[in-house]
Amino acid sequence: MFLLLFGAPGAGKGTQAQRLADFLEIPHLSTGDALRQARQDDTPLGRKAAEFIDAGQLVPDELVVGVVGEKLSQPDCTDGCLLDGFPRTLAQAQALGAHLQENSQQIDLVLELTAPEEELTLRMLQRACIEGRSDDTPETIAQRIEVYCNETMPVLDYYRQQGVVHSIDGTGTPTEVFERIRQVVEKSRS
Ligand code: AP5
Ligand code: MG
């Protein structure tokens, strides 16, 4: 299965992607995690991405598309993959579509996690105290949420037209949220 996980910053994509990938026994990729790893490794990609991440802006499409293309070309992704936080622009969605088409693959399911903005912000501010992620400051959080609404929501509309989007209430405990996701995934597989 090829699945995409959408949701505003703090919606729980990373938390649920881990559980869902384990459940489906497919690899998963968070473009955010990959970019942070590149930054930690001080690679050219990581250095370029850092300024965008810290400003709460999207990293340029060509950089992110390269990261995902590399991952999807690995043998463990032949039968499926879970993408967390990609695509975030229509250009990224088109690049993904072209890659999958070339390999006679398709997107099976797009999951959107939803939660009120106050909750998203609270979660990220709490994480800031524990993990110290450089983009978890009040100003950058607000910017990231705005970018999500302006640049990524239209991508969801694009997939909605294809009839593959399922919105899931992302509030409650992570286990409660996962149970909702599991039910949607099971239904789409049957
Ligand atoms: P990315 O790393 O994708 O960050 P994000 O979308 O801003 O979202 P987060 O990772 O903060 O939240 P999440 O939805 O994964 O939630 P999580 O499970 O962590 O992107 C970061 C940056 O990288 C972007 O701004 C951009 O610059 C760049 N980038 C990445 N992808 C890109 C792309 N495709 N194109 C261009 N640029 C790109 O949960 C959040 C917190 O809440 C955690 O502390 C968690 O423990 C907690 N939590 C989770 N679930 C619950 C729950 N149910 N109840 C209570 N707390 C919960
Ligand atoms: Mg994440």
Side-chain angles (χ1 to χ4, degrees):
M1 279 187 108
F2 283 88
L3 291 98
L4 310 180
L5 196 47
F6 278 71
K13 299 184 294 296
T15 305
Q16 299 300 331
Q18 186 65 56
R19 289 177 183 227
L20 187 53
D22 288 349
F23 175 70
L24 292 173
E25 297 181 326
I26 55 174
H28 81 281
L29 172 68
S30 153
T31 42
D33 286 348
L35 294 168
R36 279 185 291 278
Q37 185 62 51
R39 179 182 195 168
Q40 206 176 316
D41 296 341
D42 198 26
T43 66
L45 168 68
R47 286 195 290 274
K48 271 186 224 153
E51 57 182 296
F52 296 96
I53 293 174
D54 290 349
Q57 298 292 349
L58 294 181
V59 172
D61 289 332
E62 60 274 19
L63 297 181
V64 185
V65 165
V67 171
V68 176
E70 216 171 279
K71 172 77 177 173
L72 290 181
S73 303
Q74 286 169 11
D76 64 336
C77 287
T78 313
D79 296 328
C81 187
L82 170 57
L83 295 176
D84 153 6
F86 182 93
R88 270 165 136 111
T89 64
L90 287 168
Q92 291 179 15
Q94 278 151 6
L96 175 63
H99 178 98
L100 293 177
Q101 205 175 0
E102 261 171 42
N103 294 284
S104 308
Q105 295 158 333
Q106 61 173 30
I107 293 161
D108 298 294
L109 204 51
V110 177
L111 301 172
E112 176 200 23
L113 287 176
T114 63
E117 187 170 333
E118 312 81 70
E119 173 143 359
L120 303 173
T121 304
L122 186 67
R123 288 180 186 178
M124 288 183 278
L125 290 176
Q126 282 171 342
R127 179 174 60 189
C129 302
I130 306 163
E131 293 179 23
R133 227 175 90 168
S134 64
D135 56 350
D136 280 343
T137 64
E139 301 74 28
T140 311
I141 287 170
Q143 179 62 35
R144 285 158 60 201
I145 293 174
E146 194 180 324
V147 166
Y148 182 77
C149 294
N150 293 340
E151 301 190 45
T152 304
M153 297 280 253
V155 186
L156 263 177
D157 291 336
Y158 166 83
Y159 287 120
R160 258 192 205 101
Q161 287 163 16
Q162 300 175 21
V164 286
V165 177
H166 289 261
S167 292
I168 288 157
D169 176 6
T171 62
T173 66
T175 300
E176 286 167 343
V177 177
F178 182 70
E179 185 51 27
R180 291 177 201 130
I181 292 177
R182 197 189 57 76
Q183 283 180 17
V184 169
V185 170
E186 291 287 16
K187 213 169 173 183
S188 86
R189 288 208 291 186
S190 62

